[in-house]
Amino acid sequence: MRRAIAAVCAAAGFLSLWMLMPRFDAALEGVRPALGREEAIRKAVAWARAHGVEISGWRFAVEAEVDPVLARIRRRRPESEVARVFTPVRIRVLAFNERGDAVLSAMTAGGLPLSFLDRRQSAAGEPSPDAAGQEMLRLTGAQAARFRRTAENVRTLEGSRSAWEWLDPKPDGVLARVVVVTRNGRVVHSSYEFSASREAAGETPPAPPKLQAAMAVLTLATAAGIALLMLWMLFVSLQRRSDQFGFAIRFLWIPAAGVSTAFLCGNYQNDALLRSFEEGLTGDSRLVLGITLALLLLLALFLILAAAYAAAPRGQMRLWAPAVLLVRGQWRNRQAAEQVWFGMAVGALLGSAPYWVAQLAGEPRVRFLEGEDLLMAPWPAMEAFAGLAGAWEVYAVALFLYPLLSGRLRRPWMAAAVAIAAGTLAATLPRSAFPPGHAANYATAAVLTGGYLLAYRYGGMLGAWVAPLGMHAAVQGVRLAQMPAPSLESAGWQALALTSGIAVAALGASFLLPEADTLAAETEMSEAAAALPRSQRGRLRAEFEVARRAQQDLLPAGPPLIPGFEAAAACHPAGEVGGDLYDYLPGPHGRWMLCVADVSGKGLGAALHMTLLKGMLASAAHHAPAPAALASRLNQAVAETGRGRMFITLSLLVLDPAGRRAEHFRAGHNPPLVWRAQNGACEWRKPRGIGLGLTAGPAFEANLETETIEFAPGDMMVLYSDGVTEDMNPEGELFGEQRLAELVQRHAREGPRRLAGAIMEEARRFRREAELHDDWTLLAVQCAGGGTPQEDGPAETAQKS
Amino acid sequence: MTRSFLIETRDEGNVRILALRGFLDAHTAPRFEAAVEEELRAGRSRLVVDCTGLDYISSAGLGVFMTFIDEARGAGGDIKLASIQPKVYQIFDVLGFPALFDIQPAVEDAVARFERGAGEG
């Protein structure tokens, strides 16, 4: 069941991611470039030659991009003229050389020229008197007659600008525009573009912006609601806690923090995201949409990570514990701070590494081309790098597969290898129309995936979660540094300042903050993990079984041989391990120390204190002080180790078998019961006494009463933990003292062993299907010589006869 | 299975009353702990815990009282318990709490004891 929920969550997360991330194929709708990479380069060389620029022998970078408006026109009106002339795909070919010269040309999917940009350091070539007019003819070809000149040699910073337009409202309502910029009689920049109104694109009339925004937000809110619901289901199935809902909701601030940071860094206007959501929903609502989409993206990522957490093997919990502690509100948490700064550092290293590599390899840098994409690329041959930096699918695939597979595959490196391979494929395959040309991108994607795994493996879940932030900061920093004149472009500086601020704060915090008790969180998580798929549950069970057995070994192996007395005990921890203890310890002069103790709380923490108490008792029995002194010493020890956060209740009997009497004290423990064989009556022994560790002051000693209990033959004393009397049935009814006393009266004559068995059996019957909610311990000791145990009766009779 | 637990605070003179309702167990104890800590941080160390509506207390709940009693007394105040249901009182009693804490039958008694203490001091 839980495995199914985790699988559904992961599927939903990947599906959302798939829908949110732009995909080359779907956007192209069957209009992939008709040219191969080499053909595109050949066309570009010819096109440049027409401008008098020789670029053969230069290096090339090729990419394809999609115009969504044209894609829509083509889809709706395949017969229209625009659709015939223009394909939604534009191929861009960047040529560059070692001197830093660059020429960028764009063409349609079929190879018709669309634009030209000349960025040579020193321009040479034949000037032509009407370069602009010739360029217009080259671009428009047979359509040239339809164009009307709208601007002539307007002086701009770039050069003299001329423009032509062709407005044809009849068939399509499209506007075609040619812009040519010349300098010294040479074309330095030209472009041929189409724009179409929504009506032309066959859209329904646009809704008013407010309505659009409302609809968009409603759609996204529904999607987010579904994602939240799934997260909740996941956590419900993970945590057998009564506050799963609150826990899951609190867990959400981790993605929320990511969104806020992204927002502050100015990354909220994610064009790629918007493009995939554009149909009928954009307009004035772009900003709202951008933020909501970013939220949804992060939610989808988080759903995937949560599914990975749900399915991750036990060994991975260590990496998640600091995050879980943060969720519980434990901010003073050094491990979390360490994870954050480490993740940031790994991210920054990942982001800046390609630039360092480019620098060291002496790759030429092409500065200040149009558009940011090429500026963001560490070197021009890494065309798709800009996309890779924000490749969330790499992140999701790697961080889903790695925790899932580690510890499950035969060798540890295999999980990493599979995750890196899958991440690389996820990043590179759908991202470009020219996959084989991007060896550098494959390498970058592999390094990126490997880096994320590193961040996760050594920086834990938080490290992996913040690594993209560090990476974005590094990329932004490099971009700022690469700009010809550093400008205070807000988003870049914000990203840098904010993320480095977080990283430095986390670094500082990792020195200042106290270490958090991640062991406790891990224990709880493993309790939660106990509700996980069978294969893991088996391993977990095995580990707890070891702990349980170790603890069982601490309990006496069998009843002691006390002359004149018989004792027996039963102990049943509520969890795999318990906080209850009973013991029989021989002391000097034939005395025996018998006790039942209950450590506050349960689970591993209580079990550890129980083992400590066991040691203290053994040492005390060896020195055999008077009961009061013994109690005082135990109290001091518990107060010191428990530091006011835990306490132990203890009922202890120092039995003098020869004298048929016992000294008893009760440190906050349930009053033991003494059954008198003579009249079959029960009495509760309730000397005053405070629980061990409740106070280190003299109040403990002042309130401790030691009593002497005289045993007549057949008298039985029963010590027990509150798990016995507070045992609860499904109706919420308590087992209670009354029921216990009645059982003792009914079974006391059968001897301690049978009595303990009978009470345990009755408790089980009483509890029915309800779970044992507290450790259950009972110890009975009986003075021999009273009534003959019933089952031995016939045997003895037989012997006599 | 979620059991409710509520804390209501009010002032009576310069004594802070924390009225508990419901189940004080391992799940709800952190809330009570936070509430007491908040009072102590704010310098209000004269606390009366009104247990009229308290239906159940587990060892974790008892731990909260232990955690703060020394601090409250160190700051010149106290944590007094009042109006405990017999069933719950039994748990306090078994553990020996009456020896460590001032437990009063009614909130007024507890407040009065603070005032008397202040008068004496």
Side-chain angles (χ1 to χ4, degrees):
Chain A
M1 180 60 188
R2 283 172 186 90
R3 183 185 279 180
I5 291 176
V8 168
C9 284
F14 277 114
L15 188 71
S16 322
L17 207 59
W18 179 252
M19 293 195 310
L20 285 172
M21 296 311 283
R23 274 147 302 142
F24 210 76
D25 287 340
L28 287 172
E29 303 240 345
V31 282
R32 297 186 69 91
L35 309 174
R37 190 171 189 273
E38 294 311 313
E39 284 168 299
I41 292 171
R42 262 202 303 282
K43 291 263 184 197
V45 170
W47 178 228
R49 209 169 277 152
H51 290 86
V53 186
E54 186 52 54
I55 58 170
S56 58
W58 289 22
R59 297 165 67 187
F60 295 96
V62 185
E63 66 175 9
E65 61 176 22
V66 181
D67 182 333
V69 177
L70 282 172
R72 204 156 53 219
I73 294 176
R74 187 186 168 89
R75 198 156 57 240
R76 309 245 163 148
R77 300 191 171 186
E79 77 290 348
S80 71
E81 197 161 2
V82 183
R84 264 191 294 113
V85 177
F86 285 88
T87 51
V89 182
R90 289 208 307 164
I91 303 170
R92 301 208 299 171
V93 179
L94 173 72
F96 58 99
N97 64 13
E98 278 67 28
R99 289 193 304 278
D101 294 339
V103 169
L104 177 69
S105 27
M107 59 195 85
T108 63
L112 294 172
L114 284 175
S115 76
F116 180 77
L117 181 70
D118 183 356
R119 285 279 184 273
R120 281 177 294 163
Q121 303 291 330
S122 52
E126 285 301 306
S128 149
D130 188 22
Q134 286 167 17
E135 177 73 358
M136 195 277 272
L137 288 175
R138 271 199 294 264
L139 283 169
T140 55
Q143 313 285 337
R146 296 185 171 182
F147 281 84
R148 193 167 54 82
R149 192 159 188 149
T150 54
E152 188 166 359
N153 295 328
V154 180
R155 289 183 66 178
T156 64
L157 276 178
E158 211 178 6
S160 333
R161 181 174 164 278
S162 302
W164 290 263
E165 279 182 8
W166 162 38
L167 181 64
D168 187 4
K170 242 194 296 168
D172 295 308
V174 294
L175 179 75
R177 180 204 296 267
V178 174
V179 176
V180 181
V181 181
T182 58
R183 200 187 294 159
N184 303 329
R186 281 187 316 106
V187 175
V188 291
H189 187 186
S190 67
S191 70
Y192 183 16
E193 288 167 354
F194 255 106
S195 55
S197 60
R198 286 182 174 279
E199 289 82 353
E203 290 289 318
T204 46
K210 272 183 189 161
L211 187 64
Q212 280 177 30
M215 277 169 59
V217 170
L218 192 72
T219 314
L220 290 168
T222 313
I226 293 172
L228 279 174
L229 187 72
M230 286 184 144
L231 261 180
W232 179 66
M233 275 167 61
L234 196 65
F235 279 104
V236 167
S237 67
L238 273 180
Q239 307 259 332
R240 289 193 166 187
R241 297 154 53 106
S242 52
D243 61 340
Q244 310 97 336
F245 188 72
F247 186 78
I249 292 301
R250 283 200 300 277
F251 221 126
L252 284 181
W253 74 254
I254 294 187
V259 175
S260 332
T261 315
F263 179 74
L264 287 170
C265 290
N267 285 348
Y268 48 86
Q269 274 185 321
N270 188 333
D271 278 344
L273 281 181
L274 281 172
R275 199 193 302 158
S276 60
F277 209 83
E278 200 159 27
E279 304 240 343
L281 287 175
T282 50
D284 290 344
S285 52
R286 274 181 84 89
L287 183 67
V288 183
L289 249 184
I291 298 168
T292 325
L293 278 169
L295 252 167
L296 196 62
L297 171 72
L298 282 162
L299 207 58
L301 284 174
F302 199 73
L303 203 57
I304 294 170
L305 291 193
Y309 166 64
R314 167 100 178 89
Q316 302 290 306
M317 292 302 137
R318 187 175 51 82
L319 298 170
W320 287 76
V324 169
L325 281 180
L326 271 193
V327 169
R328 302 243 171 92
Q330 202 168 329
W331 288 88
R332 292 166 59 74
N333 182 343
R334 178 187 298 171
Q335 290 92 327
E338 282 171 353
Q339 290 198 344
V340 168
W341 82 256
F342 180 80
M344 291 272 196
V346 169
L349 208 66
L350 283 178
S352 56
Y355 296 93
W356 291 116
V357 172
Q359 187 78 46
L360 292 175
E363 284 284 338
R365 273 187 291 173
V366 180
R367 290 181 164 180
F368 213 49
L369 273 171
E370 68 163 18
E372 286 180 343
D373 298 8
L374 292 161
L375 248 186
M376 269 179 88
W379 68 88
M382 290 186 67
E383 298 105 356
F385 178 82
L388 272 187
W392 292 105
E393 60 268 43
V394 186
Y395 181 80
V397 166
L399 285 182
F400 177 71
L401 282 180
Y402 183 66
L404 199 69
L405 295 177
S406 8
R408 295 225 170 92
L409 294 181
R410 215 169 295 148
R411 304 205 187 287
W413 58 264
M414 284 168 92
V418 171
I420 289 176
T424 309
L425 284 180
T428 41
L429 282 186
R431 277 195 173 265
S432 170
F434 303 104
H438 294 87
N441 287 337
Y442 282 120
T444 312
V447 170
L448 201 63
T449 322
Y452 283 140
L453 299 192
L454 196 76
Y456 174 76
R457 176 74 180 71
Y458 296 102
M461 190 272 170
L462 286 173
W465 186 251
V466 299
L469 273 182
M471 187 167 68
H472 278 288
V475 171
Q476 295 277 23
V478 177
R479 278 184 57 202
L480 287 172
Q482 277 201 343
M483 291 208 171
S487 72
L488 278 174
E489 196 203 19
S490 58
W493 287 114
Q494 277 170 13
L496 254 185
L498 197 75
T499 40
S500 41
I502 295 174
V504 169
L507 184 63
S510 70
F511 285 107
L512 295 175
L513 291 180
E515 210 153 301
D517 182 11
T518 48
L519 187 70
E522 280 176 53
T523 312
E524 276 201 43
M525 284 154 72
S526 55
E527 276 173 17
L532 284 180
R534 201 159 293 149
S535 57
Q536 293 166 50
R537 198 160 50 197
R539 194 190 339 225
L540 203 62
R541 279 259 169 82
E543 279 175 28
F544 262 95
E545 184 60 30
V546 172
R548 196 181 67 80
R549 239 179 278 155
Q551 207 192 13
Q552 288 285 317
D553 288 348
L554 289 176
L555 295 175
L561 294 169
I562 306 174
F565 278 83
E566 194 189 337
C571 183
H572 185 15
E576 256 87 354
V577 292
D580 274 11
L581 173 74
Y582 72 90
D583 213 349
Y584 325 100
L585 294 155
H589 316 299
R591 282 164 204 260
W592 282 81
M593 208 162 91
L594 284 73
C595 66
V596 168
D598 180 359
V599 180
S600 64
K602 53 182 176 174
L604 270 188
L608 285 172
H609 279 109
M610 171 246 164
T611 56
L612 273 176
L613 177 68
K614 162 98 185 170
M616 293 179 213
L617 281 171
S619 145
H622 184 69
H623 296 293
L630 167 65
S632 170
R633 212 154 103 182
L634 288 173
N635 181 54
Q636 287 298 332
V638 175
E640 275 165 32
T641 50
R643 288 184 206 155
R645 298 237 153 223
M646 55 79 66
F647 57 88
I648 298 174
T649 67
L650 169 76
S651 214
L652 188 136
L653 214 56
V654 178
L655 183 68
D656 172 13
R660 279 186 179 167
R661 71 164 67 88
E663 281 188 276
H664 168 240
F665 73 79
R666 186 190 67 87
H669 201 75
N670 296 60
L673 189 152
V674 174
W675 176 82
R676 298 297 180 189
Q678 192 193 1
N679 56 4
C682 280
E683 54 194 65
W684 300 97
R685 310 299 304 204
K686 206 187 163 194
R688 283 189 301 139
I690 303 173
L692 302 174
L694 282 171
T695 172
F700 181 83
E701 286 78 13
N703 284 283
L704 190 79
E705 222 171 33
T706 314
E707 61 171 5
T708 304
I709 297 166
E710 304 280 349
F711 284 91
D715 284 359
M716 168 96 79
M717 183 158 181
V718 178
L719 309 168
Y720 58 91
S721 69
D722 58 0
V724 174
T725 45
E726 285 175 30
D727 209 350
M728 214 180 271
N729 69 8
E731 286 82 48
E733 191 190 345
L734 293 178
F735 191 79
E737 276 91 7
Q738 189 55 39
R739 215 173 252 114
L740 177 66
E742 282 167 17
L743 281 169
V744 170
Q745 281 170 326
R746 199 179 317 150
H747 297 282
R749 292 187 192 282
E750 297 167 20
R753 201 166 50 84
R754 294 201 155 219
L755 172 74
I759 296 174
M760 201 158 185
E761 191 46 48
E762 183 59 34
R764 197 169 293 147
R765 245 200 307 269
F766 169 80
R767 203 183 309 132
R768 298 207 302 280
E769 70 270 25
E771 272 183 55
L772 192 62
H773 74 274
D774 200 0
D775 301 336
W776 193 103
T777 304
L778 184 131
L779 184 155
V781 56
Q782 186 170 35
C783 181
T788 319
Q790 282 173 6
E791 94 260 58
D792 291 350
E796 279 183 17
T797 321
Q799 266 184 353
K800 275 176 193 165
S801 63
Chain B
M1 189 60 190
T2 310
R3 286 152 169 177
S4 65
F5 175 69
L6 281 175
I7 308 170
E8 283 162 19
T9 50
R10 62 176 198 273
D11 281 323
E12 219 154 276
N14 56 358
V15 177
R16 192 73 158 176
I17 318 281
L18 299 169
L20 309 185
R21 223 167 349 148
F23 280 69
L24 182 53
D25 57 16
H27 293 307
T28 55
R31 273 164 54 205
F32 181 44
E33 191 170 347
V36 177
E37 191 165 15
E38 195 181 311
E39 299 298 340
L40 292 176
R41 293 288 162 272
R44 292 184 289 266
S45 58
R46 292 149 71 99
L47 306 174
V48 170
V49 180
D50 177 2
C51 303
T52 315
L54 185 67
D55 297 319
Y56 173 79
I57 186 163
S58 80
S59 57
L62 294 161
V64 178
F65 289 99
M66 289 163 51
T67 309
F68 293 110
I69 184 67
D70 287 341
E71 193 177 333
R73 286 181 182 160
D78 194 9
I79 301 176
K80 295 187 196 296
L81 288 86
S83 180
I84 307 177
Q85 293 178 24
K87 201 173 62 185
V88 177
Y89 183 81
Q90 208 185 336
I91 301 171
F92 279 106
D93 189 34
V94 160
L95 262 172
F97 261 55
L100 298 172
F101 287 82
D102 190 359
I103 301 178
Q104 294 297 322
V107 176
E108 295 75 48
D109 301 329
V111 174
R113 280 184 61 90
F114 265 123
E115 276 156 10
R116 210 178 318 145
E120 284 162 12

